[in-house]
Amino acid sequence: MEQGQEQMQEILHAQENLQNREEELSLEEAFARIEEVIAHLEAEEITLEQSFIEYNRGMKLLQHCNETIDRVEKKVLKINEDGGLDEF
């Protein structure tokens, strides 16, 4: 039982390290990592635990992409006095 808990803690620690590195990725790098995640999930020999980890990794990468795109859009557009959008 303790060995299983130790393995899970190691996996969670590895996920945290990976997440910290992925937060610094460019959009292109993040999209490439998402493609890796999809390939891993499509592999026949993946375990349920591994698929759960990969799924979470993919969701965090997608969240990173969405946040990055939102930041870029906010920098590019601003609302003018008439309620229209102007580019910076």
Side-chain angles (χ1 to χ4, degrees), residues 41-56:
L41 287 171
E42 291 176 340
E44 291 182 22
E45 64 275 352
I46 192 168
T47 66
L48 182 58
E49 185 174 286
Q50 290 169 331
S51 64
F52 178 73
I53 291 168
E54 287 297 318
Y55 173 81
N56 282 326

Side-chain angles (χ1 to χ4, degrees), residues 20-63:
N20 291 337
R21 287 191 309 246
E22 289 176 343
E23 288 175 357
E24 300 169 4
L25 295 176
S26 69
L27 271 177
E28 293 80 10
E29 293 168 327
F31 286 135
R33 298 273 174 94
I34 290 170
E35 289 179 12
E36 291 173 9
V37 168
I38 292 169
H40 290 152
L41 287 171
E42 291 176 340
E44 291 182 22
E45 64 275 352
I46 192 168
T47 66
L48 182 58
E49 185 174 286
Q50 290 169 331
S51 64
F52 178 73
I53 291 168
E54 287 297 318
Y55 173 81
N56 282 326
R57 179 178 172 221
M59 293 306 293
K60 288 176 183 174
L61 283 164
L62 286 172
Q63 181 180 8

